[in-house]
Amino acid sequence: MGVLTGRVALVTGAGQGVGRGIARALAAEGARLAIVGRTTQKVEDVAAEIRNEGGDAHAFTCDILNPEQIEQLIAGVVDHFGSLSILVNNAQSTVHGELLDLPEEDYFRGMESGPLATWRLMRASHPHLRGHGSIVNLGSAAGVRWNPTGYGGYAAAKEAIRVLTRTAACEWASHGIRVNAILPLANSPALDDWSKINPEESAEYMTTIPLGRLGDSETDIGPAVVFLCSESSRYITGHSLPVDGGQVLMR
């Protein structure tokens, strides 16, 4: 019996990277998993991994930029599992570039895939989460770093997600729904690509992590999400939790 036995969790962007790690950690604690992503084969592979290890998981293909698909997703998850207890908003398009160089369509893509999709998913899930639900949204250290040069579009989207997190936590507390955010730092395909393109910046960034390493998506980031979705955190809501080896100082 895990601490999340009997709960149903939906994780977006769960076909790889941080989303996959979070999904596996939730499954290890007994949650039944809706593995959600744009690429069918990736989410099916992760769902199969979890089932092969004795868990219960089902793959759902969804483009979170499409509001109709979001509504269909929530309905499909509830139809398949019978309920929904946990929502993890992980999917997000990365947006890089200095403000004068950042194409407007890239900026809007970051906002659509970030705060807009997060808002839509939270609202669509709300009726099913009432009385017992937990939401974990993913922020980023990019939004609180002292110099976000080159990452302003991404940082703006992630900070908007944190504002939505705090607002929903206050507005929905009386509905029995807790809403928190994490700011993770972990190995992922996106971070690997960034490190290859910016090796000097990547090496310098590593020196700012007190614990001296990147986190593991499943064994470092996943347990933090498990905690925020469990009864152990029943008095925590509206909080932003860095899970980053000490790199960020929240004020």
Side-chain angles (χ1 to χ4, degrees), residues 17-56:
V18 172
R20 172 181 173 272
I22 290 172
R24 288 178 55 82
L26 293 170
E29 287 296 337
R32 295 180 289 164
L33 263 296
I35 307 297
V36 180
R38 288 182 301 177
T39 306
T40 300
Q41 190 60 59
K42 287 183 178 180
V43 291
E44 287 183 347
D45 288 346
V46 175
E49 287 177 10
I50 292 172
R51 290 194 299 270
N52 289 339
E53 293 169 7
D56 185 355

Side-chain angles (χ1 to χ4, degrees), residues 117-169:
T118 295
W119 175 65
R120 285 170 172 163
L121 280 154
M122 288 197 300
R123 291 192 356 149
S125 300
H126 175 274
H128 308 287
L129 298 174
R130 287 186 70 105
H132 66 284
S134 298
I135 299 174
V136 178
N137 297 324
L138 269 70
S140 171
V144 295
R145 65 188 298 176
W146 68 274
N147 181 359
T149 296
Y151 305 97
Y154 182 68
K158 286 301 189 181
E159 281 299 274
I161 288 173
R162 291 210 305 129
V163 172
L164 290 172
T165 297
R166 180 65 187 178
T167 304

Side-chain angles (χ1 to χ4, degrees), residues 93-116:
S93 296
T94 56
V95 180
H96 300 317
E98 295 190 12
L99 296 183
L100 291 177
D101 302 322
L102 185 63
E104 191 167 294
E105 57 268 26
D106 288 356
Y107 179 83
F108 278 118
R109 186 180 70 252
M111 287 295 176
E112 284 184 305
S113 66
L116 182 54

